Amino acid sequence: MELFFLGTGSGVPSKERNVSSLVLRLLEERGTTWVFDCGEGTQQQILNTNIRPRRIEVIFITHLHGDHIYGLPGLLSSRSFQGGETPVTVYGPRGLKDYIDISLELSGTHLRYPLYIEEVEEGELFEDEQFIVEAVKLEHGLESYGYILKEKDQLGELQPEKLKALGVKPGPIYQKIKNQPRTVLEDGRVIRREDVIGPAKKGRKVAILGDTRYLPHLEEVLKDSDVLVHEATFAGDEEKMAYDYFHSTVKQAATLAEKANVGELILNHVSSRYQGDSVEELLEEAQNIFPNTTIAYDFYQHPIKRI
């Protein structure tokens, strides 16, 4: 599980940062890629990476401001020409379906794969054997959401020494024992999986928020996230401006991370007014409140490790 930041700026592209787009690579977990927002130029950014659009399974749009969606029709279209045949589901606020449908229709675009568009409300979006994904409503003037991904706990590792002690020789039977609660051996003995595996592997929790004012009440839903990705459009002394423009400061993001007891904070959506040394000053402001903070930059990769 790895976060790959394709665009980390706010509003308009700059020489240092493209507009919003973030990829969550789940290659080991499910062989796919999830995309969060798709600002203008996302395709171009992808060309500078080893990300494969045909692996895209889900796209989450936080809100419908242009710097978060203008790259979406092009990415969906190009995926057809790059060998993408598997279905893609796009989640996002009301109006997203009209935007996509009209863009594809007026441009005469015909996709070679099934496309599903789900307009979201706050609450659980889906659950499968690996993940639960929830949408949480934010405050940005325009309808805006954050997405919380909860990985389910996984089985612990099979303990070969325990099986050998029981006289079970290595072979295909080991995988069979791990795959089912009870296994009957050829000699009639019953092996219970729970007796021969190690502790369960705790699932990871990742929170990726869209543009928002500082919302202290999010502390509960974000609690104990392994990683929180939060916008940091303004410096700490610009709190009034951040409020007026429905954004957050670096200090507010760090405060929320500290109160929610998250493992790591990654700041994103940095205004183009901050360049060079001033970005380091933003980082210092945040780390004074929440030391385990990173400011993302374009093409920054961040593995999400199991604790």
Side-chain angles (χ1 to χ4, degrees):
M1 187 185 289
E2 179 188 67
L3 291 167
F4 199 129
F5 290 80
L6 296 176
T8 57
S10 68
V12 296
S14 69
K15 291 182 179 180
E16 293 187 355
R17 298 176 184 270
N18 198 47
V19 288
S20 295
S21 187
L22 165 61
V23 166
L24 178 66
R25 300 210 282 194
L26 299 167
L27 302 184
E28 292 183 7
E29 291 77 10
R30 56 203 290 145
T32 63
T33 295
W34 292 2
V35 178
F36 294 80
D37 286 334
C38 191
E40 179 184 357
T42 294
Q43 287 189 81
Q44 193 67 33
Q45 298 290 84
I46 287 175
L47 291 176
N48 294 307
T49 73
N50 59 2
I51 294 168
R52 298 292 177 260
R54 67 176 180 272
R55 290 187 179 271
I56 295 173
E57 176 188 16
V58 187
I59 300 173
F60 298 91
I61 300 299
T62 61
H63 65 291
L64 300 186
H65 278 151
D67 58 321
H68 294 254
I69 63 168
Y70 282 164
L72 182 57
L75 179 62
L76 294 174
S77 175
S78 294
R79 187 176 183 270
S80 281
F81 297 103
Q82 296 167 337
E85 298 178 347
T86 55
V88 172
T89 303
V90 186
Y91 293 93
R94 287 173 298 174
L96 178 64
K97 189 175 190 315
D98 283 346
Y99 171 70
I100 294 174
D101 286 348
I102 292 170
S103 297
L104 297 182
E105 180 183 353
L106 292 180
S107 61
T109 301
H110 301 283
L111 304 181
R112 300 174 184 174
Y113 57 87
L115 177 66
Y116 305 101
I117 304 167
E118 300 285 345
E119 296 186 340
V120 307
E121 295 180 349
E122 190 167 40
E124 186 176 305
L125 298 184
F126 69 84
E127 177 178 0
D128 61 20
E129 66 278 2
Q130 288 180 299
F131 289 95
I132 300 172
V133 179
E134 301 175 1
V136 57
K137 199 162 190 179
L138 306 176
E139 189 174 330
H140 189 52
L142 199 67
E143 188 175 3
S144 183
Y145 291 93
Y147 297 100
I148 299 175
L149 290 59
K150 299 176 183 177
E151 182 186 33
K152 295 181 178 180
D153 292 349
Q154 297 182 353
L155 284 174
E157 295 293 339
L158 198 67
Q159 306 292 299
E161 66 278 3
K162 291 185 178 180
L163 288 170
K164 290 176 183 177
L166 294 171
V168 182
K169 296 180 180 180
I173 188 65
Y174 276 28
Q175 192 61 45
K176 186 176 180 182
I177 290 171
K178 184 171 183 179
N179 288 344
Q180 55 191 24
R182 297 171 74 255
T183 301
V184 180
L185 303 180
E186 290 182 355
D187 60 11
R189 288 185 297 154
V190 176
I191 302 292
R192 297 189 308 167
R193 181 173 61 192
E194 64 189 53
D195 294 333
V196 293
I197 62 171
K201 299 175 183 177
K202 183 174 175 55
R204 291 159 287 188
K205 180 179 178 181
V206 181
I208 300 173
L209 304 189
D211 295 5
T212 185
R213 281 174 172 164
Y214 173 51
L215 298 176
H217 71 264
L218 293 180
E219 173 187 338
E220 188 60 35
V221 73
L222 298 176
K223 192 170 183 60
D224 297 329
S225 295
D226 293 283
V227 176
L228 168 62
V229 179
H230 196 293
E231 71 126 290
T233 309
F234 292 102
D237 60 358
E238 298 284 3
E239 192 169 314
K240 183 180 186 305
M241 183 178 293
Y243 183 86
D244 290 344
Y245 285 92
F246 292 89
H247 283 293
S248 300
T249 71
V250 292
K251 287 185 177 180
Q252 290 171 331
T255 298
L256 184 59
E258 192 274 331
K259 290 185 175 180
N261 192 42
V262 307
E264 300 176 278
L265 171 65
I266 304 178
L267 298 177
N268 193 21
H269 202 266
V270 178
S271 171
S272 59
R273 69 173 62 193
Y274 306 109
Q275 307 278 341
D277 291 344
S278 61
V279 175
E280 292 302 313
E281 293 171 6
L282 295 180
L283 180 60
E284 184 177 347
E285 282 187 35
Q287 289 179 335
N288 285 336
I289 298 170
F290 188 79
N292 201 9
T293 298
T294 301
I295 293 185
Y297 50 86
D298 287 14
F299 306 115
Y300 172 63
Q301 299 174 62
H302 188 96
I304 303 173
K305 301 176 182 177
R306 294 186 185 277
I307 298 176

